[in-house]
Amino acid sequence: MQIKEDKSNDLADVINCYRPDLKPFEDVYRHLHTNPELSGQEEETAKIASDHLKTIGFEVHTKIGGHGVAGVLRNGTGPTILLRADMDALPVEEQTGLPYASTRHVKDETGADKPVMHACGHDSHVATLMAAATLLQCAREHWSGTLICIFQPAEENLDGAQAMLDDGLYDKIPKPELVLAQHVMRMRAGTVNLRAGPLLTAADAFNVRIFGRGGHGSAPHTTIDPIVVGAAIVMRLQTIVSREVTPGKLAVVTCGSIHAGQSPNIIPAYLDLQLNVRTYDAEVRKRVCASIHRIIEGECLAAGVEQKPEIKLTFSTPSTINDGKTIDALRETFSPYFGDRLVDMEPPTASEDFSLLATAVGAPYVMWMFGGTDPETWDDAVAKGTVDELPSNHSPFYAPVIQPTLCTGVDAMALGALTFLNKKSV
């Protein structure tokens, strides 16, 4: 037990000694927040990250799977540890009122004009990993092994990690023995959460087209109204979770978009739905997705639809299941370092694709959460019982307070790596 405590104290000394001046990284955060880039468009963000890694001595590979960046720092014999940050922003109109708020609008892949905002905190992920890379590079006399820093594109589309893998990521860099990541959340700034087992849900999304028979709004008997069919489908989909999933098992089925027609007196020829599914358990996931197909096809058949509906899987990513042994090792260093700032939280029903960077090579992985909500604001909301009303990820009002958020993220990422990199005797 004494050995573990000594190691924790040693790592705390390393972090406190080599933590860089965070003012430049606060500036990076503000710049990225003001100048966010949509998934697949992260060119400027990637350049900021890659230029920084080059400056501090990393071997750097760019434009992997789009704008992905991989930096490698070899520092003697030891394990290969991969740290990952995502870079992309969301098509959200920022309403924070911050002096560095985004006012950016860009064209998306369809040519449509979109507002852009770092509504999920990826700007803080980039800034903290840049600073953590600096800390670890400066402290290299205290550890040995190989450190990899990944700046990943297109996480919000849930295809950026796979794109990097498909582009030969592990032909360019060493295969990691462990993959670590973190995510800023609606938690008290300065706090960190470690959780073994299920953390984030699997996600599946479907684009659905229901075909009817269009006609005049005054003569519905001559048509097959896809709007009526679509409405029946949306309502029936709500029974999947309540009537087909075992109580206590998590599943979410959401219809996020429904569109048909252009005029009040015309029954359209088709209707489009966009559906989203979140699950943890593989069998639940399989059953829910099968039920979606069955319900859509069954309602179309009941309505006399002549053309079979189109059901297209647009993206799919597995659940994030944190490795228990890795969590145990992290607790041995995080607990004494963060003390009562290491807190519990319920797992969010959000989804991520970073686990693919680990499972592609059979490596264990862990993602932890760190807080970004102003401490006074958080404490006041706790006292009033209004925590659920605070802005959360993907809200137009969401923006982590700069400090202590960034310092906590830097320390956590560096401490996570140092927990597993071989300790040098100096």
Side-chain angles (χ1 to χ4, degrees), residues 6-52:
D6 287 344
K7 178 183 179 182
S8 299
N9 291 335
D10 288 347
L11 296 185
D13 290 342
V14 171
I15 289 170
N16 289 316
C17 178
Y18 292 95
R19 184 191 304 110
D21 178 7
L22 295 183
K23 287 291 193 293
F25 300 99
E26 293 177 5
D27 292 340
V28 168
Y29 170 80
R30 292 187 186 92
H31 176 82
L32 294 176
H33 193 89
T34 305
N35 300 279
E37 296 175 297
L38 287 179
S39 303
Q41 300 183 10
E42 310 92 337
E43 184 174 4
E44 181 187 352
T45 306
K47 187 176 188 305
I48 289 170
S50 62
D51 285 352
H52 176 71

Side-chain angles (χ1 to χ4, degrees), residues 404-416:
T405 303
L406 292 187
C407 186
T408 303
V410 172
D411 290 2
M413 192 61 98
L415 183 59

Side-chain angles (χ1 to χ4, degrees), residues 87-101:
M87 301 186 291
D88 52 331
L90 288 159
V92 173
E93 188 88 51
E94 182 161 356
Q95 299 179 43
T96 63
L98 290 167
Y100 51 88

Side-chain angles (χ1 to χ4, degrees), residues 106-148:
V106 301
K107 302 293 185 183
D108 68 7
E109 66 276 3
T110 70
D113 181 78
K114 297 288 184 180
V116 194
M117 176 192 173
H118 265 299
C120 203
H122 295 184
D123 44 356
S124 65
H125 300 172
V126 173
T128 54
L129 183 54
M130 288 171 58
T134 302
L135 188 160
L136 292 165
Q137 192 275 342
C138 292
R140 61 193 180 279
E141 66 183 56
H142 294 277
W143 59 270
S144 63
T146 298
L147 176 67
I148 300 170

Side-chain angles (χ1 to χ4, degrees), residues 260-309:
Q262 304 292 334
S263 174
N265 67 339
I266 300 173
I267 292 174
Y270 62 88
L271 173 142
D272 291 326
L273 298 171
Q274 290 183 301
L275 307 177
N276 186 263
V277 178
R278 305 293 172 119
T279 54
Y280 283 125
D281 184 86
E283 286 302 314
V284 171
R285 182 186 193 185
K286 181 179 179 181
R287 179 166 184 174
V288 169
C289 292
S291 297
I292 287 172
H293 282 75
R294 187 195 73 240
I295 287 171
I296 293 171
E297 292 170 0
E299 291 291 346
C300 289
L301 182 64
V305 172
E306 298 167 355
Q307 184 173 349
K308 190 174 181 179

Side-chain angles (χ1 to χ4, degrees), residues 97 140 164 170 180 196 201 297 361 420:
R140 61 193 180 279
M164 293 187 75
Y170 293 129
L180 302 174
T201 57
E297 292 170 0
V361 292
F420 301 100

Side-chain angles (χ1 to χ4, degrees), residues 190-210:
T191 62
V192 178
N193 168 260
L194 289 174
R195 184 183 181 91
L199 178 73
L200 300 172
T201 57
D204 299 280
F206 299 91
N207 283 356
V208 180
R209 174 159 288 187
I210 306 301

